[in-house]
Amino acid sequence: MENKEMVLTDVKRLEILLGEKAEVYKKKFKVDENWTVDEVPKFKFRFNWAGFFFHEYWMAYRGMLKGGIALAVFVSVASMILNIIFADKVKFDVGVLFSALMTVWLGFFADYLLERKLVSIIKKVKDEKLSYEEEVNRLQEMYVRWEKNKWKAVFAIFIFELVFGFALGILMSFTPYAQYL
């Protein structure tokens, strides 16, 4: 029988993965000693100001680079399409309204998205069936890599938005709808 100290609970996995921010996020996620990754996180009504103000940059900083890029592309393209569709129908910029609504949406869903991401990571590590020491080391390595690369991810989003925005601007300037953007 294993020693009780050698059993890695999901709460302990989360603490290792979050490092020094573990207590902050355990409180946000309402994690107690019975918390498990086997239950799908449920949306809890709360607001994340960093997610609200910094959108895809916050997502990249928190290890969701692909999600941040997807959000940036979706909001940019959807805003342009909405502006083209509603250009003659309304007297305000529908794209800006859509962007504002997406900002509010991310403010409310940021913590939920992060919790789902962490649950996914923990499940993958658990499924590898590593020994106690190997699993702790793997989670610690992930935390260190996450901490080391978070500003690189933010910079990557910044560069992506510059290049993507410039390319879209050039592309749209050659369309008959350029006047609506």
Side-chain angles (χ1 to χ4, degrees), residues 7-165:
V7 174
L8 201 55
T9 65
D10 287 344
V11 175
K12 184 65 178 163
R13 288 179 179 97
L14 182 68
E15 290 171 350
I16 294 168
L17 191 56
L18 288 171
E20 61 195 34
K21 289 282 195 177
E23 291 307 314
V24 172
Y25 281 101
K26 281 172 54 180
K27 195 178 208 180
K28 279 187 175 201
F29 301 154
K30 296 181 172 52
V31 171
D32 61 13
E33 64 275 352
N34 298 321
W35 184 84
T36 177
V37 296
D38 297 328
E39 295 176 19
V40 176
K42 293 179 177 46
F43 174 74
K44 297 163 189 94
F45 193 77
R46 58 185 173 239
F47 198 79
N48 184 310
W49 287 101
F52 174 75
F53 283 114
F54 301 109
H55 325 98
E56 57 272 4
Y57 297 103
W58 176 86
M59 291 182 79
Y61 185 82
R62 290 289 169 223
M64 297 180 277
L65 180 61
K66 290 177 189 170
I69 290 173
L71 179 68
V73 169
F74 173 71
V75 171
S76 298
V77 172
S79 294
M80 284 190 331
I81 291 169
L82 287 169
N83 278 340
I84 291 169
I85 291 171
F86 293 103
D88 295 330
K89 297 174 181 71
V90 295
K91 295 190 188 303
F92 60 90
D93 190 334
V94 177
V96 170
L97 177 64
F98 176 75
S99 294
L101 291 173
M102 289 304 297
T103 297
V104 171
W105 176 85
L106 188 59
F108 283 109
F109 279 87
D111 290 333
Y112 175 71
L113 294 172
L114 179 58
E115 185 176 9
R116 287 193 60 117
K117 169 76 174 176
L118 293 168
V119 164
S120 170
I121 291 169
I122 292 170
K123 280 183 179 180
K124 285 178 187 172
V125 172
K126 276 177 71 172
D127 289 345
E128 292 177 15
K129 305 284 189 225
L130 302 170
S131 70
Y132 177 88
E133 291 83 15
E134 290 172 327
E135 192 169 346
V136 168
N137 288 338
R138 180 108 152 106
L139 291 167
Q140 287 173 337
E141 288 169 6
M142 293 173 107
Y143 169 74
V144 168
R145 189 172 53 240
W146 189 358
E147 285 295 308
K148 180 179 165 188
N149 293 325
K150 62 186 176 187
W151 287 109
K152 291 177 187 173
V154 170
F155 185 70
I157 288 279
F158 177 75
I159 295 300
F160 173 79
E161 285 186 337
L162 282 177
V163 171
F164 184 71

